[in-house]
Amino acid sequence: AEHQHTRYNALRDDWVLVSAHRVKRPWQGQLEKPPPEDVPRWDPNNPLCPGATRANGEVNPQYEGTFVFPNDFPALQPDAPEPGESDHPLFRAAAAQGVCKVMCFHPWSDLTLSLMSLVEIRAVIDAWAELAVELGASYPWVQIFENKGAMMGCSNPHPHCQVWASSFLPSEARLEDRTQRQHLSQHGVPMLLEYAEQESRRKERVVVENTDWLVVVPYWATWPYQTLLLPRRHVCRLQDLLEGERDSLASIMQRLLIKYDNLFEVSFPYSMGWHGAPTGTYLKEDCGHWQLHAHYYPPLLRSATIRKFMVGYEMLAQAQRDLTPEQAAEHLRSLPEVHYKRRAK
């Protein structure tokens, strides 16, 4: 807890430098602007609101629940041409086709998942699973992710996420596929299933848990308050979750996100995303080495205005963090599960 050391990340096959003593150093660097607290519930100029007109001229329906539509500025398109053949191995290119969608969680712009009801969160989970099935029928990778807050590059406060389906396995997916496959081959049990059992027994990095799910600050965490959301049983894909598991997922997501917001009493920024077994042609293959999981990567370190920067040593050498995962987990675990905006005055 007091001395620097490195920790191995079995899921990514790399290492992180833990320098817990550095969190005590004075800070004279960049201070971030806290997120606005006065977001209007409905704004006709917000392209994600019900009834608003988007950049391509389409008008959103007066939706009352979740709403999915094609991204107006997609990073992937289904009909992109293939690049020409390379004349040298150092200048290779490959085809990249896909589909990008946006999913609004709720019609109100002034809500986030942490402030939504369990029924509303469950509707989001069901919509995620439906998209995973729909797009996964054709594409090998369906990446569901949410960038929350301007600090994470989100340009719109309306509660929403993105879903990108690609004709290729992205780098992180390839890496996790390899490490999980190797672990199952060497140890006879899926890596993250064994990891969840170990963390549940040790308790020191557990943030919240219930019958079906476990949230931990992983042993190898890079970001200050990074967490990993894991099912307790062996589940390969989001769409494989049982009804009860979807209900308990809504509950544990709400509990985690309330703790995040309560940490610095601010709408907590993060990037999160689901990882599960590949789809498309992989649906016919044995993907038992995979275990469904979600990553949460929040940047805040000391307060609502002081973030962790991944620069210098992190970019040129390896990841480094300024407090131990155990300290971060203890801090999150001790926070109340009633949102600070809803506490009695």
Side-chain angles (χ1 to χ4, degrees), residues 73-122:
F73 303 97
L76 293 163
Q77 296 177 324
D79 54 356
E82 296 195 11
E85 291 189 12
S86 171
D87 61 356
H88 192 281
L90 293 177
F91 299 93
R92 290 185 294 172
Q97 289 92 28
V99 172
C100 296
K101 292 181 179 289
V102 175
M103 187 177 100
C104 295
F105 297 153
H106 196 280
W108 296 356
S109 293
D110 58 344
L111 284 188
T112 61
L113 283 170
S114 62
L115 293 167
M116 288 166 55
S117 70
L118 291 178
V119 171
E120 291 166 337
I121 298 173
R122 169 62 197 266

Side-chain angles (χ1 to χ4, degrees), residues 188-225:
V189 61
M191 177 198 292
L192 292 181
L193 183 61
E194 181 178 10
Y195 180 68
E197 292 171 351
Q198 286 287 327
E199 289 286 29
S200 181
R201 187 178 304 120
R202 296 169 187 255
K203 299 295 184 186
E204 58 188 334
R205 285 172 294 274
V206 174
V207 177
V208 287
E209 59 183 325
N210 60 26
T211 303
D212 301 313
W213 297 90
L214 183 74
V215 175
V216 301
V217 177
Y219 175 78
W220 51 72
T222 298
W223 293 93
Y225 291 96

Side-chain angles (χ1 to χ4, degrees), residues 24-71:
K24 300 175 184 177
R25 76 192 193 280
W27 182 258
Q28 296 180 329
Q30 173 74 23
L31 296 179
E32 308 294 334
K33 291 182 179 180
E37 297 283 347
D38 56 348
V39 176
R41 179 156 292 181
W42 183 82
D43 181 354
N45 296 316
N46 185 331
L48 298 186
C49 282
T53 302
R54 303 202 309 273
N56 62 357
E58 292 194 20
V59 178
N60 296 334
Q62 295 291 341
Y63 66 91
E64 297 180 350
T66 60
F67 170 50
V68 179
F69 61 93
N71 193 314

Side-chain angles (χ1 to χ4, degrees), residues 157-173:
H158 195 94
H160 72 286
C161 73
Q162 298 188 55
V163 184
W164 294 9
S166 61
S167 61
F168 56 91
L169 286 188
S171 299
E172 290 294 313

